[in-house]
Amino acid sequence: MKYDYLIVGAGLAGATTAHELTKAGFKCLVIDKRPQVGGNVYTENISGINVHKYGAHIFHTSDKQIWDYVNSFVGFNRYTNCPVAQAPDGKLYNLPFNMNTFYQMWGVKTPDEAQRKIDEQRKDALERMHAEGVEEPRNLEEQALTLIGKDIYEKLIKHYTEKQWGRKCTDLPAFIIRRLPVRLTFDNNYFNDSFQGIPVGGYTLLIENMLKGVEVKLNTDYFEHREELHKLADKIIYTGEIDRFYDYRFGHLQYRTVSFETETHDMPNYQGNAVINYTDSETPFTRIIEHKHFEAFGNEVYANPVTVISREYSKEWNPGDEPYYPVNDERNSALYAKYKELADREENVIFCGRLAEYRYYDMHQVISEALKKVKQLL
Ligand code: FAD
Ligand code: UDP
């Protein structure tokens, strides 16, 4: 055998496992069907701006070890995600839900006033749940209504979520909305984590540095070369879709996919923020990303006379589309469990990453899981 490990996928899961196994003295071959490394975190330089080609990515974690780990490959800047929502009433609101949002929504100025307003807003939904003898919210709508109440649900959550997921909020799991912080402070930081930033030079540089000294073959689809690739290595780390690995024998897992309309504009500052969410139902896209704000702050924005924006459209995935978000509803979770049973029986294949584990992982979680998996191999 020429290699100890064949690693399918040059995204974060593939790059982390490849880096660690190479460091431990194993010979690895990384393949990717795409023409470039990075998976979904790939960034491309357009007019001097690192454009997040597969969607905006903000690195955030509270795990000091993971933060030090990524910083050992590339420096990170001080970007803090503070998205703004353009709501159906035509007004702008700060996200996540915090004192600024509550002031903009209801005119309340103190945490006590805001709490009273939220309690009043949640009352109906809580009473309904109690009357039905339900302890835990059964879906995203119930979760949102009992967490933050109806005004915010209707103006900032319902339509955005239904556009993003293509499903009714009553058919989506509650946990999706628990990702968003709710705070009684004037703090627009979208994340609660201790560490946050964007790699200086873009995510592609991070991945390239992780893959230094590792053999990488691009434009190579595992399934088109399965037989010859198996002759090269005994063990496989697979970071692609798990259902495809098993020829969809139990059926297709569903995903949401995203399409991007990227434009360069001849102006230095298009929207004044990296992320503006459109939380109404009429606007067909979910958000507009202005990439330069991830890496240029204050007046630095004006150093480059042009700007690049991407409108993001969320769509149902069809075979052939890029799979982005696993849809962890009941049907798909049950289907995944069947594939996982097969995967657990594999002796020489390790399933790792967002697609192979069919989990809604953030980047820091992918790295952390990949490090755990490698540890078990050493
Ligand atoms: P991927 O990046 O999908 O990599 C898998 C790789 O495997 C791909 O390059 C693919 O081409 C390759 N591959 C698949 N099948 C084959 C095959 N048959 N043969 C060869 N190669 C194959 N996380 C955050 O922490 N912060 C964020 O702000 C954030 N924003 C996000 C925004 C969007 C729109 C999306 C979709 C995700 C976001 N994430 C974010 C999550 C983040 O993208 C993932 O956690 C991470 O990139 C997953 O890495 P991965 O290696 O598991 O998968
Ligand atoms: N969400 C929302 N309104 C917003 C932003 C997010 O209702 O303006 C909801 C939506 O359901 C989304 C979830 O919160 O799926 C989690 O948001 P996050 O930004 O974490 O999603 P990501 O795009 O990172 O997966």
Side-chain angles (χ1 to χ4, degrees), residues 81 127 152 219 229 232 241 296 307 364:
N81 200 30
E127 281 176 4
I152 288 190
N219 299 303
L229 288 167
L232 296 179
E241 298 121 276
T307 194
H364 61 288

Side-chain angles (χ1 to χ4, degrees), residues 164-282:
Q164 177 168 1
W165 293 97
R167 284 163 178 72
K168 296 234 161 309
C169 288
T170 43
D171 293 334
L172 285 165
F175 79 86
I176 292 179
I177 203 68
R178 288 200 295 263
R179 284 164 63 90
L180 298 192
V182 177
R183 320 190 170 103
L184 293 174
T185 53
F186 290 92
D187 177 2
N188 295 328
N189 184 350
Y190 200 59
F191 302 112
N192 281 326
D193 285 322
S194 319
F195 310 104
Q196 184 173 170
I198 305 276
V200 177
Y203 284 94
T204 303
L205 185 63
L206 165 70
I207 301 283
E208 281 171 356
N209 286 345
M210 293 175 94
L211 288 173
K212 256 192 193 141
V214 182
E215 202 173 322
V216 180
K217 240 177 128 198
L218 299 172
N219 299 303
T220 307
D221 191 316
Y222 170 69
F223 297 102
E224 284 169 19
H225 305 275
R226 207 169 187 168
E227 261 179 49
E228 32 189 299
L229 288 167
H230 277 219
K231 289 186 196 137
L232 296 179
D234 271 340
K235 290 192 188 288
I236 297 175
I237 296 186
Y238 179 78
T239 76
E241 298 121 276
I242 188 168
D243 53 348
R244 188 168 176 210
F245 190 89
Y246 290 110
D247 294 324
Y248 309 106
R249 74 175 69 163
F250 304 126
H252 279 276
L253 286 166
Q254 292 174 302
Y255 299 88
R256 291 294 289 168
T257 192
V258 191
S259 70
F260 302 98
E261 212 172 67
T262 296
E263 291 167 354
T264 303
H265 284 259
D266 206 5
M267 56 166 76
N269 192 5
Y270 181 85
Q271 62 182 17
N273 205 30
V275 186
I276 308 242
N277 291 356
Y278 285 75
T279 62
D280 62 332
S281 60
E282 284 81 38

Side-chain angles (χ1 to χ4, degrees), residues 78-133:
R78 65 141 178 102
Y79 179 78
T80 303
N81 200 30
C82 298
V84 169
Q86 163 82 55
D89 60 11
K91 283 168 61 183
L92 296 176
Y93 292 90
N94 285 111
L95 293 172
F97 314 125
N98 72 83
M99 285 303 295
N100 288 307
T101 329
F102 307 142
Y103 174 68
Q104 290 149 354
M105 184 79 57
W106 302 309
V108 291
K109 290 184 181 165
T110 65
D112 276 353
E113 280 172 26
Q115 189 61 58
R116 273 201 295 279
K117 193 75 193 171
I118 292 169
D119 287 343
E120 189 187 303
Q121 292 264 321
R122 298 156 68 212
K123 202 164 143 262
D124 285 354
L126 282 169
E127 281 176 4
R128 249 194 331 269
M129 266 179 63
H130 289 153
E132 290 176 39

Side-chain angles (χ1 to χ4, degrees), residues 308-346:
V308 180
I309 61 150
S310 301
R311 289 184 204 89
E312 238 176 82
Y313 298 83
S314 180
K315 296 188 307 187
E316 196 61 35
W317 175 89
N318 285 305
D321 292 339
E322 285 293 347
Y324 279 95
Y325 296 98
V327 181
N328 294 105
D329 60 8
E330 267 176 45
R331 173 206 176 264
N332 287 293
S333 302
L335 190 53
Y336 169 67
K338 289 169 89 173
Y339 284 115
K340 172 133 193 332
E341 225 181 283
L342 296 181
D344 286 343
R345 275 190 250 139
E346 300 281 352

Side-chain angles (χ1 to χ4, degrees), residues 278-307:
Y278 285 75
T279 62
D280 62 332
S281 60
E282 284 81 38
T283 308
F285 45 84
T286 48
R287 53 187 186 179
I288 299 183
I289 304 298
E290 187 173 8
H291 300 269
K292 65 161 39 170
H293 295 294
F294 287 126
E295 50 189 13
F297 310 115
N299 286 333
E300 289 165 15
V301 165
Y302 293 91
N304 187 339
V306 302
T307 194

